[in-house]
Amino acid sequence: MRDKQTLPLVLAGPILRKSTQDELVLWLVTSEPLIGSFQLYADTDDAIIFDAPLESCKQVAVGERAYVVLAQFKGKFPANVALSYEFDTQHGKLSQLQTELLYQDETRPVFRISNQANYILHGSCRNPHHPCKDALVQADLKVAQQTLQDRPDLLMMSGDQIYADHVAGPMLDAIHQVCQLLGLHNEHFVDAPFNSSQALFEHPFCYYQRDKLLPSYQDRNHWLNRLILPKHTPIFSSRECENHLITLSEFIAMYLLVWSPALWRCIDSYRLEQQQFTHGGQVVSAKHIQHWHDEKREIEQFVKGLVNSARLMAHIPTYMIFDDHDITDDWNLTVGWEKAAYDHSFAKRIIGNGLVAYWLCQGWGNEPDRFPSELWDLHQNYLQAATDTQSHIIAHDELIQYLYRFEQWHYTIHSSPKVVVLDTRTRRWRSESRMNKPSGLMDWEALIEFQQELMNQDKVVVVSAAPMFGVKFIEALQKSMTLLGQPLLIDAENWMAHPGSANTLLSIFTHTKTPSNFVILSGDVHYSFAYDIKLRFRKSSPNIYQITCSGFKNQFPEPLLAVCDRIDRAIYSPRSPLNYLTKRKRLKVFKRDPDTVGSKRLVNRSAIGELKLDDHGKPCEIAILTGEGDTVRFPPIEESL
């Protein structure tokens, strides 16, 4: 590991977040507090049109040498013209310190403020050690060839920006080196197998055996569980949770390592190998050593592409929303899961740490004014109490408790069309019949608020992490596992799984004031597809489009997906009588065929979605750009709707 003096000023970012004519928001992490000014240039004549001191930005110390810089600037900014930005710091201009983040012929990152949302990049699920390629790299290479006016209006990340519950061994080692290098804050625990984050890092079970440290509970809510399940069931249900993130510092370090190449140049990627795979006095098993080498190969390829993904996010306004893996698998899926998790102080702390990190690294940048001074005061209390163990524990728990009650993670981008981004994780419609029955993705109150956002709109784009209209055969499989009391086994998480939320959602679509063109963008499922949807019993049906792209760097297991695709096409065609037995019987779903060889409608490749809309909000191009650089289009259905 390099000496701390060699740390770069910028550890991650800048990421261009919210950009409107009234507000510019950028996110970055630095190794020391920034001093200097932020400057906005009109790129046509290279004139400064806005200047603000960096000391006015929120700079949150998450470690001795790590500051999350939350840069929010308000003013009157021109739209649809070439602009560029600069951070003029105590170490010089960022554009000169980070020349790798500039496109050809740029002297500063050039962008434009768009009032439109007619060209959207979208997707989810970026698993660093999955063997497929990172589609964000290809998106960056494409943007590099586009003129400013041809670039996307925004990039929408609809969940699983990190995989907190499925971490590769080499990634976890890198995380711990970052924690040490940056002096990220130590953490104290109660009711856990260790009393501090440092004790966790030194624990023999730290690598590939964390599932033995994570909390468990007794699940006796279904007769089948009482017969076949062991006495104790893990609360964290991921099948790959042996390296699950636990501490707040681990979550923070993960974000730095998946969004920037800077810290990878400061760590020793062979550290554990040089220690002959011995940690905490325990030798890593031969199976895990082989697993390590396989994961390391994929991580190295991922790191090579980080310059591209960082450059993309420095130029294109990037919006985000969480899904389960940003915190933990099956987060809030059932009432039983919630009760087990939140009644256990250790589990509650882990989930809370994920939420705090999401707030600082993702949520804040979407809509900074949503987060009140009370929250910042609680965070300040947490930082100030670091020297006293008991006070630190109390302040940490108070901060987490506030975020558990927080109900403003959703937001709206006031473009044309309006983009409504939904929180489908924290405001669940909980089942009242059984503890292990899947909760609705949004409760009645949240759905009514959603409907109010749609009123009197002629066109709208809705972002839902999980598809509102998914693959019906897969949803049927999920329902069958729910009936057997095993909803967590097959991730039984879809909009139709809960009668209350399903019927309310369908009522919104059938309402007479539903927008004429209604586009739904989703991810989550690790494959891509596109549907055209019409109301069955109305001549003047709105145009509804479900467009799903997933993942940026993840794929569904084959040949299982091909089997599901084939069966779904066979038994759930638009005219199939089986549709009348489903909750969406009032709708007719037409599945678009991709322009690929064969009859598959589900495309199982890592990809980023490209959506282009006409002036009426109707898709004129639905496509995905794969991690290999190929474009797959979903052309319009020839059949008259």
Side-chain angles (χ1 to χ4, degrees):
M1 192 184 303
R2 297 184 183 181
D3 185 81
K4 66 182 182 182
Q5 273 75 25
T6 65
L7 279 174
L9 175 63
V10 179
L11 307 175
I15 298 178
L16 180 61
R17 300 300 312 275
K18 183 178 181 181
S19 62
T20 70
Q21 289 187 262
D22 302 315
E23 186 177 6
L24 286 178
V25 176
L26 296 100
W27 177 95
L28 63 159
V29 179
T30 58
S31 57
E32 58 187 86
L34 285 185
I35 300 171
S37 63
F38 171 83
Q39 297 158 353
L40 185 68
Y41 289 78
D43 220 49
T44 51
D45 56 5
D46 207 36
I48 296 176
I49 61 173
F50 180 83
D51 193 311
L54 292 176
E55 292 84 350
S56 66
C57 303
K58 288 186 182 296
Q59 303 195 47
V60 182
V62 294
E64 295 173 12
R65 295 171 292 280
Y67 298 83
V68 178
V69 181
L70 309 175
Q72 179 188 24
F73 306 104
K74 294 187 177 182
K76 296 298 180 182
F77 309 118
N80 297 313
V81 298
L83 303 172
S84 61
Y85 64 86
E86 183 66 88
F87 288 83
D88 193 356
T89 75
Q90 66 268 38
H91 290 280
K93 299 179 184 297
L94 284 198
S95 60
Q96 297 172 5
L97 299 175
Q98 296 179 294
T99 56
E100 61 194 13
L101 297 190
L102 301 178
Y103 289 122
Q104 188 174 6
D105 299 327
E106 284 187 343
T107 56
R108 295 175 296 272
V110 177
F111 73 105
R112 66 184 171 90
I113 296 172
S114 176
N115 294 324
Q116 306 296 313
N118 289 334
Y119 181 11
I120 301 175
L121 296 180
H122 66 101
S124 70
C125 306
R126 190 162 175 247
N127 184 348
H129 64 276
H130 194 279
C132 60
K133 294 183 178 180
D134 187 353
L136 290 181
V137 173
Q138 293 299 328
D140 170 71
L141 295 176
K142 182 168 183 175
V143 169
Q145 302 301 316
Q146 293 174 319
T147 66
L148 181 65
Q149 293 303 320
D150 289 337
R151 287 182 187 175
D153 296 304
L154 61 95
L155 166 61
M156 175 56 63
M157 295 183 168
S158 58
D160 300 343
Q161 279 67 254
I162 65 168
Y163 274 69
D165 55 343
H166 188 193
V167 182
M171 176 65 82
L172 187 60
D173 182 41
I175 287 170
H176 291 161
Q177 292 188 57
V178 167
C179 291
Q180 179 183 348
L181 186 65
L182 303 183
L184 298 188
H185 293 150
N186 190 33
E187 186 172 338
H188 304 283
F189 293 88
V190 294
D191 297 328
F194 42 83
N195 59 14
S196 69
S197 51
Q198 189 59 42
L200 167 64
F201 300 161
E202 297 170 356
H203 199 285
F205 293 165
C206 185
Y207 290 95
Y208 292 114
Q209 298 186 77
R210 288 191 171 198
D211 48 329
K212 298 177 182 178
L213 302 175
L214 296 174
S216 59
Y217 71 110
Q218 290 184 310
D219 184 4
R220 295 294 181 264
N221 295 311
H222 191 276
W223 64 269
L224 190 60
N225 293 351
R226 292 191 289 271
L227 287 177
I228 66 173
L229 285 183
K231 186 175 181 180
H232 294 283
T233 303
I235 292 175
F236 297 98
S237 48
S238 171
R239 292 181 292 276
E240 299 91 4
C241 65
E242 65 271 8
N243 285 327
H244 200 301
L245 300 184
I246 292 176
T247 72
L248 177 57
S249 63
E250 288 179 329
F251 277 95
I252 295 290
M254 181 76 165
Y255 280 108
L256 303 184
L257 290 169
V258 300
W259 281 347
S260 172
L263 283 168
W264 287 100
R265 301 166 184 147
C266 302
I267 62 176
D268 181 2
S269 62
Y270 295 93
R271 185 179 71 161
L272 205 60
E273 297 176 35
Q274 293 167 350
Q275 296 171 358
Q276 298 182 337
F277 291 99
T278 300
H279 181 79
Q282 182 161 316
V283 178
V284 178
S285 70
K287 180 185 73 172
H288 288 143
I289 291 174
Q290 182 58 50
H291 200 32
W292 173 284
H293 287 301
D294 293 341
E295 291 173 333
K296 187 172 183 294
R297 183 171 57 252
E298 300 303 332
I299 291 290
E300 287 173 343
Q301 291 301 311
F302 173 76
V303 172
K304 289 179 181 178
L306 284 177
V307 169
N308 296 97
S309 57
R311 185 171 67 170
L312 175 71
M313 292 189 287
H315 287 79
I316 304 299
T318 303
Y319 294 85
M320 308 173 187
I321 191 64
F322 47 47
D323 203 11
D324 53 349
H325 296 290
D326 294 281
I327 310 296
T328 189
D329 192 23
D330 297 330
W331 178 32
N332 293 345
L333 194 148
T334 67
V335 178
W337 189 96
E338 289 190 55
K339 181 173 175 55
Y342 302 133
D343 285 352
H344 195 294
S345 60
F346 182 33
K348 188 175 182 180
R349 170 67 68 83
I350 296 171
I351 299 165
N353 284 338
L355 264 178
V356 174
Y358 172 82
W359 164 52
L360 290 174
C361 298
Q362 294 195 62
W364 174 87
N366 298 318
E367 191 63 84
D369 292 339
R370 280 284 178 93
F371 301 98
S373 58
E374 182 182 1
L375 174 56
W376 290 106
D377 291 342
L378 287 170
H379 188 266
Q380 187 63 29
N381 291 341
Y382 160 72
L383 295 177
Q384 292 175 347
T387 56
D388 182 79
T389 299
Q390 191 58 39
S391 298
H392 197 236
I393 290 172
I394 293 172
H396 197 155
D397 290 342
E398 287 177 347
L399 172 63
I400 287 172
Q401 188 59 41
Y402 184 93
L403 290 177
Y404 278 143
R405 296 193 303 267
F406 188 71
E407 293 188 343
Q408 297 294 318
W409 298 114
H410 60 287
Y411 59 96
T412 296
I413 305 171
H414 295 282
S415 53
S416 177
K418 176 190 286 190
V419 180
V420 181
V421 184
L422 304 179
D423 166 11
T424 60
R425 280 289 161 188
T426 72
R427 300 180 69 182
R428 293 282 177 126
W429 193 326
R430 295 167 178 85
S431 173
E432 297 179 359
S433 58
R434 291 205 310 269
M435 295 282 284
N436 61 350
K437 187 175 180 181
S439 298
L441 300 193
M442 290 170 62
D443 63 19
W444 184 84
E445 184 180 24
L447 284 166
I448 295 304
E449 291 176 13
F450 168 48
Q451 186 176 34
Q452 292 303 311
E453 286 287 347
L454 306 179
M455 301 293 281
N456 303 314
Q457 300 291 318
D458 60 340
K459 54 186 177 180
V460 70
V461 175
V462 174
V463 179
S464 166
M468 289 183 171
F469 304 99
V471 179
K472 190 58 199 172
F473 176 68
I474 294 178
E475 291 180 354
L477 289 178
Q478 292 172 333
K479 183 175 181 180
S480 66
M481 295 308 298
T482 298
L483 293 175
L484 292 173
Q486 304 297 318
L488 304 182
L489 188 64
I490 196 171
D491 195 18
E493 203 149 31
N494 63 74
W495 278 92
M496 300 299 125
H498 184 278
S501 61
N503 290 327
T504 305
L505 179 69
L506 294 174
S507 295
I508 291 173
F509 285 114
T510 56
H511 195 281
T512 55
K513 293 187 178 180
T514 292
S516 302
N517 289 301
F518 197 115
V519 178
I520 307 159
L521 299 181
S522 301
D524 181 50
V525 293
H526 303 170
Y527 49 86
S528 303
F529 62 89
Y531 293 165
D532 294 2
I533 302 160
K534 290 286 189 177
L535 305 183
R536 284 187 184 274
F537 309 113
R538 187 190 298 175
K539 290 183 179 180
S540 58
S541 169
N543 301 308
I544 305 170
Y545 305 91
Q546 170 69 67
I547 304 169
T548 302
C549 181
S550 174
F552 288 139
K553 196 177 189 300
N554 218 330
Q555 292 178 202
F556 199 89
E558 285 285 8
L560 178 59
L561 185 64
V563 173
C564 293
D565 187 7
R566 192 175 302 114
I567 296 174
D568 185 74
R569 284 188 287 112
I571 66 177
Y572 287 109
S573 68
R575 295 180 177 84
S576 169
L578 290 178
N579 290 314
Y580 291 93
L581 303 177
T582 69
K583 292 186 181 70
R584 61 190 194 196
K585 55 183 173 292
R586 288 176 281 175
L587 305 175
K588 185 179 289 189
V589 179
F590 297 89
K591 303 164 186 176
R592 292 198 180 199
D593 292 316
D595 62 352
T596 53
V597 176
S599 58
K600 291 183 180 179
R601 290 193 173 116
L602 306 179
V603 180
N604 194 16
R605 300 173 70 179
S606 64
I608 184 168
E610 290 190 277
L611 170 66
K612 295 182 179 179
L613 305 173
D614 63 20
D615 292 339
H616 301 288
K618 186 175 181 178
C620 54
E621 182 176 338
I622 299 173
I624 60 173
L625 177 62
T626 72
E628 292 81 16
D630 303 322
T631 297
V632 178
R633 293 180 173 83
F634 294 85
I637 299 170
E638 296 297 331
E639 177 184 355
S640 175
L641 302 183

